[in-house]
């Protein structure tokens, strides 16, 4: 190990364990020294690949849920086919657009080195970056790719404007003038952890486009996991959690489609994330309405049981989210609606999950329960607008997420 002080310790991992550690004590409870505890604050699950752009700098805008004394970045080549070389990785607080807050630009290293090569099929975590960040901060995570390293792992449907240069290593520039091209995808980054956040851990929202945020306003952070983070911020530290969005638009529970299936990506996108305590699962509607479509509710039950068993083995609680309506959408049929209803009966009453959040009941139209309420409909009768996203988040019972009693020595 290299460096001095608790944020100068080098760290190089491929898959990181969830880790232990609680947040700071509640008011009136004994204070504790910093624990060198890392908590997941932001996530974008890899969903596919795009063409490499040798020589370009990618400036990703990421919105943290909780702040901390330092950050570290999870870089990804998980879906790549060749080693990925990044010769510069930087982190900065965002000002406006692609511009950094003056004085906040930091270079991230891996095992003390500024350049990193990530093997195909893997993720790496940077060393701690000495940048204190507040709650709900926007970060600029920038990488420069000097070579053609093959297909670029990305998260396609970011719902966020990000930036790219046509060429040149502008990763360390605070001035964003060189970033003349915009993109609505996140490239080469899959997560940000924060150090010693005053929280009890993190919660992962695990799902498809409904969790990814399709239908909500771009650049506004109105996905339902964003709203959940807003609700959690006023809780005492022993109950507060960072929020990680592991939604992938087009993702399925039972088979690979857009991105690996839920079960195939469970470890990388949920169970191995830093400080995870709780998993909220809302996934399966694409299996019901997609091609080929799943028609046997028992297959869903088996998959959910496998998911819960694996999470429990890591000490992670699982909250089951019911599947929401999509009547009026072009993929809707009465037969598929029957499958959805049977799956929801199991989620509500099967006794499998540690708790249930009834998203379906919260957003369905009372007059036509196979449809979502018009006030929540983004227009395609499947995805939610900002009001619908808020309704989903507000349905989560916060008492199911973290202990109600403070830490005691």
């Amino acid at each position: 190990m290299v460096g001095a002080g608790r944020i100068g310790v080098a760290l190089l991992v491929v898959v990181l364990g969830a880790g232990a550690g609680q947040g700071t004590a509640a008011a009136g409870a004994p204070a504790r020294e910093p624990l060198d505890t890392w908590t997941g604050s932001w996530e974008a699950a890899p969903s596919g690949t795009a063409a490499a752009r040798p020589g370009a700098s990618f400036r990703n805008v990421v919105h943290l849920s909780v702040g901390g004394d330092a950050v570290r970045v999870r870089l990804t080549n998980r879906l790549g086919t060749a080693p990925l070389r990044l010769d510069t990785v930087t982190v900065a607080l965002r000002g406006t657009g692609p511009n950094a807050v003056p004085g906040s630009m930091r270079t991230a290293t891996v095992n003390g080195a500024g350049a990193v090569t990530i093997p195909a099929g893997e993720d790496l975590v940077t060393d701690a970056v000495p940048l204190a960040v507040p709650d709900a901060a926007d970060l600029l995570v920038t990488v420069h790719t000097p070579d053609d390293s093959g297909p670029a792992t990305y998260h396609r449907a970011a719902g966020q404007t990000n930036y790219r240069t046509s060429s040149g290593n502008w990763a360390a520039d605070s001035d964003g003038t060189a970033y003349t091209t915009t993109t609505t995808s996140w490239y080469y980054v899959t997560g940000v952890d924060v150090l010693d956040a005053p929280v009890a851990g993190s919660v992962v929202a695990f799902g498809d486009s409904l969790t990814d945020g399709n239908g909500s306003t771009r650049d506004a952070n109105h996905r339902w996991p964003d709203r959940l983070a807003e609700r959690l911020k006023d809780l005492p530290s022993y109950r507060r959690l960072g929020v990680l969005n592991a939604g992938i638009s087009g993702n399925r529970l039972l088979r690979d489609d857009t991105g690996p299936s839920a079960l195939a990506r469970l470890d990388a996108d949920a169970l191995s994330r830093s400080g995870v305590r709780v998993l909220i699962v809302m996934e399966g509607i694409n299996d019901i309405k997609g091609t080929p479509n799943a028609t046997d509710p028992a297959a869903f039950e088996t998959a959910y049981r496998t998911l819960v068993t694996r999470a429990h083995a890591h000490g992670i609680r699982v909250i089951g989210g019911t599947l929401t309506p999509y009547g009026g959408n072009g993929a809707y049929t009465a037969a598929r609606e029957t499958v959805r209803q049977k799956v929801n009966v199991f989620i509500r009453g099967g006794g499998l999950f540690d708790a249930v959040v009834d998203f379906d009941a919260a957003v369905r139209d009372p007059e036509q329960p196979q449809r979502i309420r018009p006030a929540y409909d983004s227009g395609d009768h499947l995805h939610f607008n900002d009001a619908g996203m808020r309704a989903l988040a507000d349905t989560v019972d916060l008492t199911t997420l973290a202990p109600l009693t403070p830490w005691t020595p």
Side-chain angles (χ1 to χ4, degrees):
M1 293 186 178
V2 298
R6 61 192 179 91
I7 62 172
V9 177
L11 172 69
L12 176 60
V13 297
V14 175
V15 178
L16 184 71
Q22 299 295 322
T24 55
R32 293 183 293 169
E33 293 298 316
L35 297 177
D36 290 1
T37 299
W38 289 99
T39 299
S41 183
W42 175 85
E43 176 179 354
S47 66
T49 60
R53 294 189 178 274
S57 298
F58 291 86
R59 179 152 286 182
N60 301 284
V61 179
V62 307
H63 184 71
L64 302 185
S65 56
V66 295
D69 296 338
V71 300
R72 66 184 183 190
V73 178
R74 293 168 177 256
L75 304 168
T76 184
N77 189 27
R78 198 188 307 166
L79 304 179
T81 58
L84 167 66
R85 190 164 83 91
L86 304 174
D87 62 358
T88 310
V89 179
T90 63
V91 181
L93 290 168
R94 183 194 190 194
T96 57
N99 301 298
V101 171
S104 69
M105 183 64 69
R106 304 286 189 274
T107 296
T109 61
V110 175
N111 208 26
V116 58
T117 298
I118 307 175
E122 297 184 4
D123 296 346
L124 293 182
V125 180
T126 70
D127 305 331
V129 178
L131 177 67
V133 293
D135 297 337
D138 279 355
L139 288 187
L140 300 176
V141 179
T142 311
V143 302
H144 178 249
T145 58
D147 311 312
D148 186 345
S149 298
T153 298
Y154 79 152
H155 181 96
R156 182 183 62 81
Q160 172 66 54
T161 301
N162 301 292
Y163 304 90
R164 176 174 59 80
T165 67
S166 57
S167 62
N169 187 350
W170 301 93
D173 272 39
S174 293
D175 184 341
T177 303
Y179 292 87
T180 56
T181 300
T182 61
T183 173
T184 54
S185 301
W186 286 303
Y187 282 80
Y188 300 117
V189 59
T190 184
V192 175
D193 298 337
V194 295
L195 181 65
D196 286 340
V199 297
S202 59
V203 53
V204 177
F206 196 73
D208 48 39
S209 59
L210 304 180
T211 298
D212 206 4
N214 287 28
S216 64
T217 301
R218 181 185 297 174
D219 298 329
N221 300 307
H222 286 169
R223 313 164 191 87
W224 74 259
D226 297 318
R227 167 59 182 165
L228 180 62
E230 293 174 3
R231 293 185 63 207
L232 287 164
K233 70 180 175 61
D234 294 326
L235 294 181
S237 60
Y238 64 88
R239 291 190 56 207
R240 192 177 174 200
L241 298 169
V243 179
L244 300 178
N245 188 334
I248 295 178
S249 298
N251 200 232
R252 290 191 176 201
L253 177 69
L254 302 176
R255 60 184 295 149
D256 295 347
D257 194 337
T258 302
S261 72
L263 292 178
R265 67 187 184 93
L266 179 64
D267 285 309
D269 289 341
L271 305 186
S272 66
R273 297 283 168 156
S274 296
V276 176
R277 302 288 177 263
V278 187
L279 185 63
I280 303 175
V281 179
M282 179 173 59
E283 185 138 27
I285 200 66
N286 288 324
D287 299 88
I288 292 173
K289 73 177 188 64
T291 304
N293 61 298
T295 60
D296 183 7
F300 291 81
E301 296 177 17
T302 298
Y304 290 140
R305 288 190 187 281
T306 300
L307 187 152
V308 170
T309 298
R310 288 170 56 187
H312 282 175
H314 288 258
I316 297 170
R317 301 177 68 248
V318 184
I319 298 174
T322 52
L323 304 182
T324 52
Y326 69 106
N329 182 269
Y332 177 86
T333 68
R336 294 173 180 179
E337 173 67 4
T338 297
V339 176
R340 186 182 74 89
Q341 293 290 352
K342 289 181 177 179
V343 171
N344 279 348
V345 167
F346 173 77
I347 292 171
R348 292 186 183 104
L352 173 64
F353 296 99
D354 297 292
V356 172
V357 53
D358 201 341
F359 292 129
D360 172 48
V363 300
R364 68 192 179 210
D365 186 341
E367 302 300 322
Q368 301 180 84
Q370 77 278 14
R371 291 175 175 257
I372 60 178
R373 291 175 180 264
Y376 298 159
D377 193 342
S378 69
D380 65 2
H381 312 301
L382 169 66
H383 297 101
F384 297 97
N385 59 20
D386 293 351
M389 290 290 177
R390 176 175 288 267
L392 292 173
D394 289 352
T395 303
V396 178
D397 181 352
L398 300 186
T399 66
T400 65
L401 299 185
L404 296 178
T405 55
W407 171 85
T408 54

